[in-house]
Amino acid sequence: MPQAAPNFYFFKKFYLLIVISLKGFSQVLLVGNAFSGLLILIGITLHSPVLGLMAFLSSIVGTITGKYLGGDRDLIRNGIYGFNAILCGISTILFLHGDKRWFIALFAAALAALSLKMLTKVLDKWNIPVLTIPFVFITWIGLLIAYRVDTLYMDPDFVISSPAMWNLPVEGTPTLLVGMIKGIGEVFVIDSLWTGSLILLALFWTGWRFGLYAIIGTFVSWLTAYFIGADTHSLNLGLYNYNAVLTIIAVSLVFNKNLKKTPYIGIIAAMLTVPVTAGLELLLDPLGLPALTFPFIVCSWLFIALGKVFQSYKYKQTVPVQRLPSRNKQPI
């Protein structure tokens, strides 16, 4: 009997850690739901058990790191310290070869939590969301180091950019449905119909608006990329879609209170991610770096800022101006 209470306390703490870590998966899509996170984890694991295991361990490492760094309790409980860690862990496993990549992936996950803690303090002053900045910059820096260090081996399947690859072939048959679903899976840097389908299911589980907006975002971005002449390979892989999915959710649902008007604004933001992605890819190609979710960050920040400016202007127009009585006016 004396040991029952400690065992129960340990089980409760372990259960809470698992739930928070699962929320980290859904927080990649800007929602906090443990069951949605479980569906996403299953989708990743079906594609690759190794990636699934690393993603789960990365979320745990990010959560524990956030706790011992003294992170905000509500942020920790909602899985905020897990989502950048998950993306860093997955990208490390995908981009690197060798036994050291496991250690590097977990180190990157911890570093993502540390970066989130530091950036939150700075950006909160301007009420700017951190989003996936830690993941993007840690991955970029890691890739640049890997190009120059012999102890880190790049995966040969990861195409290192060269001038010969700047003009991609446009031959082939674009497939709308495949590109849309894979585009949702590419949020986690994964090319898989199963993963994309389960992520979409996870969004619908969170709320029908999240699932519907994800479909709209990936649809309009695919059409935009198709009509501006994007290469067929990228279209079928959904490489122009995943930033749009994140952006439309951020702009239309998470960081905007006016749900009646935001679908139209979110659609415009989702479409904008396509030329932004194309431009950033051209800019980053000479460095051999992928755009990752940086277009999502740029477009979301832009439309969040514009929304705040518009709301401020609207507030000034609706507030009546209080006029003081004139001192020179004489009573009749």
Side-chain angles (χ1 to χ4, degrees):
M1 288 298 293
Q3 295 181 353
N7 289 338
F8 177 77
Y9 177 79
F10 174 79
F11 175 79
K12 183 179 179 181
K13 285 289 185 181
F14 180 75
Y15 173 77
L16 184 61
L17 176 62
I18 299 301
V19 170
I20 292 173
S21 299
L22 289 175
K23 285 184 179 180
F25 285 86
S26 64
Q27 284 293 353
V28 175
L29 298 159
L30 306 167
V31 297
N33 186 289
F35 187 74
S36 294
L38 177 61
L39 290 175
I40 295 170
L41 175 58
I42 292 172
I44 296 172
T45 306
L46 287 175
H47 174 69
S48 169
V50 172
L51 279 182
L53 176 60
M54 175 49 67
F56 189 59
L57 291 176
S58 297
S59 186
I60 292 175
V61 168
T63 301
I64 294 175
T65 303
K67 177 177 175 58
Y68 282 96
L69 286 174
D72 182 87
R73 186 174 182 180
D74 290 336
L75 295 181
I76 295 172
R77 285 181 171 269
N78 284 317
I80 298 298
Y81 281 91
F83 73 96
N84 275 289
I86 291 169
L87 294 174
C88 284
I90 290 176
S91 62
T92 302
I93 295 299
L94 288 175
F95 295 153
L96 296 182
H97 257 192
D99 297 334
K100 294 180 181 179
R101 64 179 180 165
W102 285 83
F103 170 77
I104 296 171
L106 295 178
F107 175 76
L111 188 59
L114 173 62
S115 302
L116 180 70
K117 170 71 174 176
M118 297 171 62
L119 288 170
T120 300
K121 283 187 176 181
V122 176
L123 297 181
D124 271 356
K125 297 177 181 178
W126 294 280
N127 198 23
I128 299 174
V130 177
L131 302 178
T132 54
I133 296 177
F135 156 62
V136 171
F137 282 97
I138 290 172
T139 303
W140 280 351
I141 293 170
L143 288 174
L144 290 174
I145 293 173
Y147 288 140
R148 301 295 296 176
V149 176
D150 292 336
T151 55
L152 300 180
Y153 301 99
M154 296 294 299
D155 191 321
D157 292 332
F158 175 67
V159 178
I160 300 175
S161 186
S162 67
M165 294 296 296
W166 289 358
N167 297 317
L168 295 173
V170 294
E171 292 81 7
T173 304
T175 51
L176 175 61
L177 183 60
V178 172
M180 286 175 58
I181 296 177
K182 284 191 175 183
I184 297 175
E186 287 288 352
V187 172
F188 288 83
V189 206
I190 293 175
D191 171 23
S192 170
L193 287 173
W194 276 110
T195 305
S197 299
L198 282 170
I199 292 173
L200 182 60
L201 179 61
L203 285 169
F204 272 109
W205 176 267
T206 302
W208 65 268
R209 279 193 177 93
F210 287 92
L212 178 61
Y213 281 30
I215 292 175
I216 294 173
T218 190
F219 177 71
V220 298
S221 60
W222 194 96
L223 288 181
T224 303
Y226 176 78
F227 283 111
I228 67 174
D231 63 282
T232 304
H233 178 70
S234 296
L235 278 171
N236 291 338
L237 287 178
L239 297 181
Y240 285 102
N241 300 36
Y242 65 95
N243 280 292
V245 172
L246 293 173
T247 303
I248 194 172
I249 290 174
V251 172
S252 297
L253 294 174
V254 178
F255 298 108
N256 203 315
K257 298 179 181 180
N258 192 347
L259 295 178
K260 293 182 179 180
K261 295 183 179 180
T262 50
Y264 309 105
I265 300 172
I267 289 172
I268 296 172
M271 294 171 66
L272 183 62
T273 61
V274 176
V276 171
T277 299
L280 283 172
E281 284 182 347
L282 181 62
L283 181 67
L284 296 170
D285 264 346
L287 299 175
L289 299 177
L292 300 176
T293 56
F294 197 60
F296 152 62
I297 297 169
V298 172
C299 294
S300 295
W301 277 1
L302 175 62
F303 278 83
I304 290 170
L306 289 175
K308 290 179 180 178
V309 170
F310 177 77
Q311 288 295 331
S312 177
Y313 175 78
K314 186 177 179 182
Y315 175 77
K316 289 180 180 179
Q317 294 296 316
T318 55
V319 174
V321 178
Q322 296 182 357
R323 298 183 179 274
L324 295 175
S326 174
R327 294 184 180 182
N328 296 324
K329 187 176 180 180
Q330 298 296 326
I332 298 175

